[in-house]
Amino acid sequence: MMYILLIIGFFLLIKGADYFVEGSSAIAKLLKVPSVVIGLTVVALGTSAPEAAVSITAGLAGSNDLALSNVIGSNIFNLVLIVGICALIQPFIIDQSILNRDFPLAILSSVILLYFIRDNRLSRPEGLILLTLMIGYLSLTVVSAIRHTIDIDVQEHYLPMHTSLLYIVLGLAAIIFGGDLVVDNACRIAAAFGLSETLIGLTIVAIGTSLPELVTSITASRKGESGLALGNVVGSNLFNILFILGLSSTVHPIAAQETAMMDILILIIMTTVIYIFCRIRGTMGRFMGALCVAAYAAYSVYIILR
């Protein structure tokens, strides 16, 4: 039964992401804002819902290792593997607003998190600081969207507003429910093989809760919405650290193991390397995509063996 529910979860994720991307893309055109802005806000917040549910629930239940490792593992999966796969499917030009603002903020948020857990815990005051930074980031993104509207004819080519909203709601519901099915049943299967909570958090749960980002970004790339795809990933990473860990630690302080510091450091290094490459080249091609996929494979081997 676990395997059947797992397959149903994957189906809901894939179909839900298809409707969610189509609705989000249409909303962007109807509101005359760049799709990257929708990716950084609506899509990023929506696809991060599974991480929020898992981490906050884990924090309340006292499973701190799972709460923290889920977010770190998801962020590495998002930035390295998802971006890599998207580049392999369809090379894309990096939006300048992501390079100038969002990528550096993603690196900065990881550095702040590393500094906060230097004493092996994430306290309530530190969680409140992360939440405050999240509010500031969203405000900055909204102001940017208002300033940079685009002129496009939406009469013939895009869905009407009420249909777009329906696609987003139904798609997101399918994504969240499907992600929940995948994570629950994957964890049961993994636990049957005797895997540790930290390893499950960094691998099975992290990958499971990142499936919405994966299928949404791949679907967006295949539809030519590379701005929405990359914006979704970068926005989700910022949301995961600033909001999810901020809220989780505000509800219940999170204890962090020494290995968490190493994983965050790896996240910072990988994010910085990809940022520098994108800054120099301005694009994500198939070669860089292949390197990202290989880097994630190497990281997976490392966390399994340690």
Side-chain angles (χ1 to χ4, degrees):
M1 192 65 188
M2 289 186 296
Y3 295 97
I4 294 174
L5 291 173
L6 192 67
I7 293 171
I8 293 173
F10 277 119
F11 175 78
L12 288 173
L13 275 171
I14 294 168
K15 293 305 295 180
D18 191 41
Y19 282 106
F20 190 63
V21 169
E22 191 169 347
S24 299
S25 178
I27 289 290
K29 303 303 185 294
L30 289 167
L31 296 178
K32 297 186 177 182
V33 299
S35 61
V36 64
V37 174
I38 299 298
L40 285 164
T41 53
V42 178
V43 179
L45 295 176
T47 56
S48 286
E51 283 98 331
V54 170
S55 292
I56 293 170
T57 302
L60 288 171
S63 300
N64 293 317
D65 286 351
L66 186 59
L68 185 58
S69 60
N70 171 41
V71 165
I72 299 170
S74 292
N75 279 17
I76 293 174
F77 183 89
N78 288 350
L79 188 69
V80 183
L81 190 62
I82 293 180
V83 170
I85 291 174
C86 287
L88 285 173
I89 293 173
Q90 181 66 52
F92 54 87
I93 298 173
I94 310 296
D95 189 282
Q96 284 301 310
S97 65
I98 293 180
L99 285 177
N100 294 336
R101 182 192 63 201
D102 304 295
F103 244 127
L105 286 176
I107 297 172
L108 179 61
S109 66
S110 298
V111 171
I112 291 172
L113 177 61
L114 182 64
Y115 176 75
F116 279 170
I117 68 165
R118 69 194 186 283
D119 55 354
N120 296 323
R121 69 191 299 268
L122 193 61
S123 65
R124 282 195 175 93
E126 290 166 342
L128 288 171
I129 291 173
L130 293 178
L131 286 175
T132 303
L133 292 174
M134 182 66 196
I135 294 171
Y137 170 71
L138 284 177
S139 301
L140 189 65
T141 305
V142 171
V143 169
S144 176
I146 294 172
R147 290 180 179 175
H148 298 92
T149 57
I150 55 176
D151 188 19
I152 189 168
D153 181 14
V154 299
Q155 297 301 317
E156 299 180 3
H157 305 291
Y158 296 98
L159 300 170
M161 179 66 77
H162 65 277
T163 305
S164 300
L165 291 172
L166 182 62
Y167 273 33
I168 289 175
V169 172
L170 293 179
L172 183 56
I175 287 170
I176 294 173
F177 185 61
D180 190 46
L181 283 177
V182 169
V183 172
D184 284 349
N185 291 282
C187 283
R188 289 174 187 171
I189 294 169
F193 287 93
L195 299 179
S196 69
E197 186 177 274
T198 299
L199 182 58
I200 290 174
L202 283 169
T203 54
I204 304 297
V205 179
I207 293 172
T209 54
S210 288
L211 285 175
E213 284 92 343
L214 176 62
V215 291
T216 300
S217 293
I218 289 176
T219 303
S221 290
R222 294 181 66 181
K223 292 186 176 184
E225 293 285 354
S226 59
L228 191 149
L230 187 61
N232 169 38
V233 168
V234 176
S236 290
N237 279 16
L238 281 162
F239 184 78
N240 288 348
I241 291 177
L242 299 180
F243 178 75
I244 295 177
L245 286 183
L247 184 58
S248 297
S249 57
T250 300
V251 171
H252 190 286
I254 297 175
Q257 295 186 357
E258 293 292 335
T259 53
M261 296 190 69
M262 179 57 68
D263 291 321
I264 296 173
L265 186 59
I266 291 172
L267 172 63
I268 293 170
I269 293 171
M270 288 181 170
T271 309
T272 304
V273 168
I274 294 174
Y275 170 70
I276 292 172
F277 182 87
C278 292
R279 193 82 198 178
I280 294 172
R281 298 292 295 273
T283 60
M284 273 292 290
R286 287 193 171 92
F287 175 72
M288 189 59 185
L291 286 180
C292 286
V293 172
Y296 186 79
Y299 171 72
S300 298
V301 172
Y302 161 69
I303 59 175
I304 290 171
L305 293 177
R306 72 182 178 188

